[in-house]
């Protein structure tokens, strides 16, 4: 797999069938008590939800439309990375 934001990613996917993945960054907003998903790979991806499972579901529903709008290759997958920021004690 090859990350979407890496050089030549769309060319490798289009001409050689290389499978691409999208890195999704997830943060817990402790103040608002919601998880927030963003991605440097997909312009416009900003989603929040009360639970991590709900967030994954919402992202998976939104990605196909965002991929179409961005004219990105269809050979994309998602990779969730979680960043849980805890305040020092």
């Amino acid at each position: 797999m090859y990350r979407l934001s890496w050089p030549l990613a769309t060319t490798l996917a289009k001409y050689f069938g290389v499978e691409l993945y999208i890195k999704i960054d997830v943060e817990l907003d402790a103040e608002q008590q919601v998880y927030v998903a963003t991605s440097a790979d997909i312009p416009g991806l900003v989603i929040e939800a009360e639970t991590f499972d709900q967030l994954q579901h919402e992202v998976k529903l939104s990605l196909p439309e965002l991929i179409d709008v961005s004219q990105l290759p269809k050979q994309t997958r998602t990779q969730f990375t979680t960043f849980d920021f805890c305040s020092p004690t």
Side-chain angles (χ1 to χ4, degrees), residues 3-79:
R3 186 167 166 195
L4 179 61
S5 63
W6 289 347
L8 302 173
T10 55
T11 302
L12 290 170
K14 184 176 180 179
Y15 295 107
F16 301 104
V18 172
E19 187 174 5
L20 302 178
Y21 75 90
I22 300 165
K23 180 181 176 197
I24 307 292
D25 297 309
V26 178
E27 296 181 38
L28 175 61
D29 183 337
E31 186 176 308
Q32 297 295 322
Q33 292 296 308
V34 294
Y35 288 92
V36 180
T38 59
S39 178
D41 296 339
I42 301 290
L45 178 66
V46 180
I47 296 175
E48 62 180 48
E50 292 180 5
T51 67
F52 185 73
D53 290 338
Q54 191 178 32
L55 183 73
Q56 284 181 313
H57 177 72
E58 293 296 324
V59 168
K60 288 178 184 178
L61 287 177
S62 301
L63 274 180
E65 184 175 334
L66 289 170
I67 289 170
D68 285 343
V69 169
S70 301
Q71 298 180 344
L72 299 172
K74 304 290 187 226
Q75 300 92 326
T76 55
R77 293 180 42 162
T78 57
Q79 175 183 345

Side-chain angles (χ1 to χ4, degrees), residues 26-28 30 35 82-86:
V26 178
E27 296 181 38
L28 175 61
Y35 288 92
T82 304
F83 301 94
D84 188 358
F85 296 102
C86 299

